[in-house]
């Protein structure tokens, strides 16, 4: 209900989405699909083994990170977002 509508509104208003695919959370996968349907750039990140991701997203250009070290993603995310938004 309300939470899903709020998430959809936030995605719709965003310039792009950073999605943490760790553990293949079904909610995140839905949100990524929604962002893709709207044509929003998605930058996927993941701390769990990429081989464990669903087959249809396993080959995405996902940024791997170690648990507790999202701070280390700053430069990679900035670069990827800059590229994604220069459409």
């Amino acid at each position: 209900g309300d939470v899903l509508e709020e998430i959809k509104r936030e995605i719709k208003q965003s310039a792009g989405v950073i999605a943490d695919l760790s553990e293949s959370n079904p909610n995140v996968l839905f949100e990524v699909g929604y962002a893709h349907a709207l044509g929003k750039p998605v930058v996927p990140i993941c701390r769990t083994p990429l081989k464990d991701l669903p087959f249809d997203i396993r080959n995405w250009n996902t940024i791997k990170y170690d648990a507790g070290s999202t701070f280390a993603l700053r430069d990679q995310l900035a670069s990827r977002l800059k590229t994604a938004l220069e459409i």
Side-chain angles (χ1 to χ4, degrees):
D2 294 336
V3 174
L4 178 57
E5 291 307 313
E6 174 68 17
I7 291 168
K8 287 167 62 177
R9 187 176 61 72
E10 293 288 335
I11 292 170
K12 192 177 275 190
Q13 293 176 349
S14 70
V17 176
I18 297 170
D20 192 338
L21 304 177
S22 302
E23 299 172 9
S24 302
N25 181 312
N27 295 336
V28 173
L29 297 178
F30 171 84
E31 294 156 8
V32 166
Y34 186 70
H36 272 286
L38 295 175
K40 302 289 183 174
V42 175
V43 178
I45 64 174
C46 189
R47 73 178 181 284
T48 54
L50 299 180
K51 67 176 178 50
D52 294 342
L53 292 173
F55 78 96
D56 52 348
I57 63 172
R58 192 175 302 143
N59 294 320
W60 285 359
N61 189 8
T62 302
I63 300 171
K64 185 88 169 98
Y65 74 95
D66 294 322
S69 64
T70 53
F71 63 89
L73 296 173
R74 182 179 176 193
D75 291 341
Q76 280 184 289
L77 287 175
S79 174
R80 189 78 72 82
L81 285 170
K82 183 173 187 263
T83 300
L85 297 175
E86 289 177 348
I87 298 172

